[in-house]
Structures are given as structure tokens and as C-alpha cells.
Amino acid sequence: MKHRIIASILLLATLTTPSCIGSFSLTNRMLNWNRNIDNKFINELVFFAFWVLPVYEVCGLADILVLNSIEFWSGNNPVDVAAADRVVEGSDGKYIVRPDATGYDIVSMTDGSVMRLDFNAAEQSWNLRIGDDSTMLFAFVDDSHIKLPAQGGRYTVVETSQAGALAYKQMMLESCLAAR
């Protein structure tokens, strides 16, 4: 009877887990959390305790039987999707940052307003969208230059160095003073 139960479990495992190694997100998340403990002695104690209390074993089994299968068939691991959203505290409130394939939605937890940061692969640019209005923040020109907004709706190419950043800052300060 025991042999039939074990054989049934193994057969079920082979049918429900495709031949995909998977990312083992849950297990890796637990291991990374443990690696971030600063004290090496506490780190070792937690590591040992998680093996004795079968935390790592349960995470590994959940990854093998469920999460990696979902990742194989859907392309997304549920652990990674849930972990994607981040809460960020700014000087004027808290925000939820939701990444996706082309950028980020930034949602204010105070008033529910939404900003969107989009990467346009064709133009190699990052754009800020609020409602229907979109503004280019910067665009990559090459490995050492970016295109930034200048006065009057124009754009200027700046070297990605400290000297380039200082020159851009000086140009913007002068245009602001000239506007006064």
C-alpha cells in the first residue's frame, strides 16, 4: 500500500511539473533574506534553524510542485509578480511603484493620482506621462551622451560626465535667470 501511495505521488509530480528547472523564486527569496543578516553567527543559526524546521524544504517543494509549473505555463512566477510592487516614502507622501515590461506606474497613496515612466525603445528615451500629457525626460544618444530638455521646448545633447552635468546645470541656471 505504501509503495502505491509513493508511486502515485511521484507520478503526480512528474505530470504536474514540466521539464523546466524554473527560477525557484520562493526558495531564493528565503535564502537572500537570510544572506542579508549582518551577523555571520546569527546568519548561520537562522540557516540551520530553517533546515531543521523544514522552512527551506517546504519552500523548495512549493517551488517544484506549484510555483515553477505556474511560471513555465504562464511565463510569470506568482512570487515575483507579488514582489514587484514597492511602497516608497517621499517627502510629500507614500507611493506605490508598479514595474512592467516598459516602465513604471507611480500611484500616490494620498490622492490616488498616477504618473507613468515609460521607456521608448525605438527612441531610446524615458518619458513622463501624467494623464494625457507626455514629456521626454531624457534620451540616450550613445554610450557617453544623452539628450536633455532645454529652454523653449528644445533639447540639448550633454556628455554623461561630471563636466557635462555641470555644464547642463549652468545652462539651465542661466536660462532661469534670463527668464526673470
Side-chain angles (χ1 to χ4, degrees):
M1 182 68 179
K2 279 186 175 180
H3 296 292
R4 284 186 181 206
I5 292 173
I6 292 172
S8 298
I9 290 172
L10 289 175
L11 179 62
L12 180 64
T14 59
L15 292 175
T16 59
T17 56
S19 61
C20 171
I21 292 175
S23 62
F24 285 84
S25 293
L26 184 60
T27 305
N28 286 323
R29 182 166 295 183
M30 290 299 299
L31 287 168
N32 287 334
W33 174 83
N34 189 18
R35 285 184 189 115
N36 288 327
I37 296 174
D38 291 335
N39 186 310
K40 68 180 183 180
F41 298 106
I42 294 175
N43 178 287
E44 181 63 26
L45 287 172
V46 169
F47 180 76
F48 181 74
F50 279 13
W51 276 113
V52 171
L53 296 173
V55 173
Y56 291 130
E57 291 90 337
V58 169
C59 289
L61 191 61
D63 275 328
I64 290 169
L65 295 178
V66 179
L67 300 173
N68 287 346
S69 297
I70 292 171
E71 181 179 9
F72 176 78
W73 292 108
S74 72
N76 295 319
N77 191 304
V79 173
D80 290 339
V81 172
D85 289 359
R86 299 278 189 241
V87 175
V88 177
E89 190 162 347
S91 60
D92 58 344
K94 289 185 179 182
Y95 298 88
I96 299 172
V97 179
R98 292 189 179 118
D100 60 33
T102 61
Y104 304 89
D105 285 321
I106 303 169
V107 182
S108 171
M109 293 176 73
T110 307
D111 62 6
S113 61
V114 179
M115 293 187 314
R116 173 85 186 153
L117 290 174
D118 270 321
F119 182 71
N120 182 328
E123 296 177 8
Q124 291 292 300
S125 66
W126 279 97
N127 303 288
L128 172 65
R129 188 179 67 209
I130 301 174
D132 293 332
D133 297 328
S134 182
T135 304
M136 186 186 83
L137 297 175
F138 69 92
F140 296 100
V141 176
D142 57 33
D143 289 342
S144 59
H145 295 87
I146 57 174
K147 184 167 67 169
L148 293 167
Q151 187 70 17
R154 294 176 295 119
Y155 292 93
T156 186
V157 176
V158 176
E159 185 179 316
T160 56
S161 66
Q162 186 174 6
L166 288 173
Y168 179 73
K169 181 179 179 182
Q170 183 66 34
M171 181 189 74
M172 294 307 288
L173 283 173
E174 288 172 4
S175 67
C176 287
L177 290 175
R180 286 185 172 184

